[in-house]
Amino acid sequence: MSKEAGFLIYCMERYRHFKGLSGSEVADLFESCKVDEYIMKYFESLHTMGEQYIIKDIDDYIAEMRKEN
């Protein structure tokens, strides 16, 4: 497994925990808003941040994606 893929799984698990969602709910949300692509694209900067920053960044990204749709 690549370090990027491992980090994506970490982000999904932490997001699930912080938001009280199921794994399938997070997977569906990340897929519909293309969060997985965002995390992979910005892995180099995101993986150096703390988990609270990452959760907030994901929330901000989802909000922007929903505005566009």
Side-chain angles (χ1 to χ4, degrees):
M1 176 184 313
S2 70
K3 59 186 177 182
E4 294 86 356
F7 182 67
L8 174 59
I9 292 167
Y10 166 80
C11 290
M12 292 178 81
E13 284 298 313
R14 297 316 301 153
Y15 196 84
R16 181 188 66 76
H17 172 76
F18 274 93
K19 300 297 181 176
L21 301 171
S22 71
S24 62
E25 289 172 321
V26 172
D28 291 344
L29 177 62
F30 275 37
E31 183 179 335
S32 68
C33 292
K34 299 182 177 154
V35 177
D36 50 345
E37 293 174 20
Y38 174 78
I39 290 171
M40 299 298 262
K41 182 175 181 179
Y42 294 103
F43 165 78
E44 289 299 326
S45 60
L46 286 172
H47 87 280
T48 64
M49 305 299 174
E51 65 183 23
Q52 290 180 343
Y53 176 88
I54 294 168
I55 300 304
K56 181 176 180 342
D57 193 59
I58 291 170
D59 279 341
D60 291 347
Y61 180 76
I62 290 169
E64 284 300 314
M65 291 301 290
R66 287 182 171 163
K67 279 184 197 176
E68 292 178 10
N69 293 328

